[in-house]
Amino acid sequence: MLSALLMRTPIPTSSSVIHLSLMNNSRFYSGITVLKKAFDIATSQTQVEQPLCLECLRILSDKLDKEVEDVNMDIKAYETCLQRSELESYDVLNNADFPKDKEKIEEEERRLQAAVQDTERQFAEVKSQKKELESKSKLFRELEEGYWHEYNNFQFQLASHQVNSNVILLFNNMPCTSLVELQFGCHTL
């Protein structure tokens, strides 16, 4: 089948090749032109009128009315702002007053910097005092803990001595009571 097709196909000459390439170029450009028109129609960038149905026309009309309304509101806001800015008075410094005001501002800046430095110095002092008080507080807690430890030891020793004292007194009183009993026991006999 391929051989039959080749036999029927004429062999191109140089003039027919040029005509064929021009024909292909014109087809190529006509294809691009068709695609461009289709793109223009698809993106609504065409100069050709496209008919709209009544419903689409109503929706488009509503959208355009809303946009016009928004633009009118923006215009009114702009005009109001413009009128307000025209009514405001601007206090513009002249060349003679500028150095005086600059000097005042620089003096205020120096005063504020001095105040900041003084505040930082006071902060450093307070921070140092805080550390000192924290160390004293820690020492006080340690001393208090030691005091209560010693106090509890003392109370324990005191209770222990009182028990020992009571035992000693008991042992001392036993012979006396025995002696008293003997004395009373002797008289009754």
Side-chain angles (χ1 to χ4, degrees):
M1 181 162 171
L2 184 59
S3 61
L5 184 61
L6 288 174
M7 291 176 85
R8 280 191 236 151
T9 308
I11 299 174
T13 61
S14 65
S15 65
S16 66
V17 170
I18 293 172
H19 178 65
L20 184 61
S21 70
L22 287 175
M23 201 166 111
N24 284 340
N25 282 344
S26 68
R27 282 185 195 161
F28 175 74
Y29 287 119
S30 69
I32 289 179
T33 306
V34 170
L35 286 174
K36 183 179 182 301
K37 286 181 182 177
F39 178 75
D40 287 344
I41 290 171
T43 59
S44 300
Q45 299 292 326
T46 183
Q47 299 296 325
V48 179
E49 293 285 329
Q50 298 292 324
L52 294 173
C53 67
L54 290 177
E55 181 65 24
C56 294
L57 186 62
R58 187 187 62 75
I59 292 171
L60 182 62
S61 176
D62 289 345
K63 286 183 179 180
L64 288 175
D65 287 343
K66 173 103 172 81
E67 286 184 27
V68 167
E69 201 175 298
D70 290 345
V71 168
N72 285 334
M73 288 175 52
D74 289 344
I75 290 171
K76 286 180 184 178
Y78 175 75
E79 287 174 349
T80 304
C81 188
L82 186 62
Q83 288 173 356
R84 203 176 318 136
S85 69
E86 288 173 353
L87 294 176
E88 291 178 358
S89 64
Y90 295 103
D91 188 20
V92 180
L93 293 175
N94 59 28
N95 288 338
D97 292 338
F98 180 75
K100 292 176 187 175
D101 285 346
K102 181 182 173 191
E103 184 62 36
K104 285 180 185 177
I105 291 171
E106 287 173 348
E107 181 61 36
E108 179 70 15
E109 181 183 10
R110 285 190 291 271
R111 188 183 63 74
L112 289 174
Q113 285 177 345
V116 166
Q117 288 174 352
D118 186 47
T119 303
E120 288 174 348
R121 182 188 52 78
Q122 290 175 357
F123 176 72
E125 288 176 6
V126 167
K127 193 174 178 180
S128 171
Q129 289 174 356
K130 179 184 173 192
K131 283 185 179 181
E132 184 180 332
L133 288 173
E134 285 174 348
S135 67
K136 285 182 179 180
S137 175
K138 183 179 177 184
L139 177 64
F140 175 75
R141 282 192 299 272
E142 289 172 358
L143 289 173
E144 183 180 24
E145 186 178 319
Y147 166 79
W148 286 112
H149 184 68
E150 287 179 18
Y151 175 79
N152 288 333
N153 282 341
F154 175 75
Q155 289 294 331
F156 178 73
Q157 288 175 0
L158 180 63
S160 175
H161 288 302
Q162 285 178 344
V163 167
N164 288 341
S165 173
N166 289 340
V167 168
I168 291 172
L169 285 175
L170 183 66
F171 282 125
N172 283 342
N173 286 339
M174 274 176 92
C176 289
T177 51
S178 297
L179 187 63
V180 169
E181 284 178 5
L182 286 174
Q183 285 177 352
F184 284 122
C186 292
H187 292 297
T188 55
L189 287 175

